[in-house]
Amino acid sequence: MTREPLTAGALILAAAATVVLLLAPPAGAQPPRRPRPLENIKTLKGWNGDEVRAEMRLMTEALGVKCDYCHVQGNFASDEKRPKHTARRMLELTMALNAESFPSHTPAEGQSKLGRVTCYTCHQGAQVPKQGAGPGVMAW
Ligand code: HEC
Ligand code: HEC
């Protein structure tokens, strides 16, 4: 039985096929999850995706709401919902308070990057902060 001699071309093809096989992810493996780049950041300029998402979770807790209170399902970049606009003004207010009164506060790991004053400071888990005690209690 005679064998065809391997040509250089066939050798190169075989090598290329091996490389493709080695580079391909094993069957069933998920590609690494890559978060989408942020598209519509107007207030938290310069924050990276992880920082924005971490602050979003804190905001959600602080107001006692879910993401969809401010966001259209499936489109975080959309500005369709009114509370998102209010939240931008609230972010500005909170950043201004911190810049003015707590400029040297450095947030620890897991704390709000906004600073010492956060959404929670005022909201305490409510969509609209409580007015506090009624008239006459703080009589000064
Ligand atoms: C109280 C309102 C509010 C809630 C609740 C909220 N967000 Fe946001 N979100 C905003 C605002 C405001 C911006 C835009 C910030 C800016 O312009 O710098 C934003 C931006 C984002 C962006 C960036 C979108 C882009 O591409 O520009 C992502 C992602 C996001 N939010 C995710 C979430 C997730 C996840 C939750 C729930 C855990 C959540 N948000 C809850 C107000 C909210
Ligand atoms: C200094 C106090 C203070 C801070 C800090 C603050 N808020 Fe507010 N927020 C208020 C007050 C007061 C109101 C109610 C305003 C009104 O009655 O018109 C309000 C209202 C809102 C509303 C509208 C609620 C509604 O149903 O009408 C949203 C949304 C909101 N805040 C989001 C935020 C977010 C997000 C943060 C943090 C980035 C934040 N706030 C930080 C005081 C604060």
Side-chain angles (χ1 to χ4, degrees), residues 59 63 69-70 83 86-87 90-91 93-94 97 114 117-123 127-129:
M59 282 166 38
L63 271 69
Y69 173 64
C70 293
T86 312
M90 289 278 153
L91 282 166
L93 170 149
T94 308
L97 286 173
L114 292 173
V117 176
T118 68
C119 314
Y120 195 85
T121 311
C122 292
H123 282 263
Q127 280 175 39
V128 178

Side-chain angles (χ1 to χ4, degrees), residues 27-43:
Q30 295 290 322
R33 205 177 64 89
R34 205 176 293 150
R36 276 192 229 172
L38 307 181
E39 294 162 17
N40 188 16
I41 293 298
K42 295 187 173 140
T43 314

Side-chain angles (χ1 to χ4, degrees), residues 39-116:
E39 294 162 17
N40 188 16
I41 293 298
K42 295 187 173 140
T43 314
L44 304 176
K45 293 210 181 86
W47 292 38
N48 70 35
D50 286 344
E51 290 169 340
V52 169
R53 278 181 287 272
E55 202 62 48
M56 291 294 141
R57 282 190 289 274
L58 292 174
M59 282 166 38
T60 304
E61 271 173 38
L63 271 69
V65 295
K66 300 228 160 67
C67 311
D68 68 0
Y69 173 64
C70 293
H71 291 290
V72 182
Q73 191 94 45
N75 185 0
F76 287 116
S78 163
D79 283 347
E80 208 173 295
K81 290 206 173 175
R82 222 180 110 77
K84 188 177 177 188
H85 295 265
T86 312
R88 276 210 181 96
R89 288 174 48 208
M90 289 278 153
L91 282 166
E92 278 160 13
L93 170 149
T94 308
M95 291 191 289
L97 286 173
N98 283 307
E100 174 72 18
S101 298
F102 304 100
S104 56
H105 174 80
T106 312
E109 185 76 30
Q111 284 183 339
S112 170
K113 188 174 146 74
L114 292 173
R116 181 64 187 86

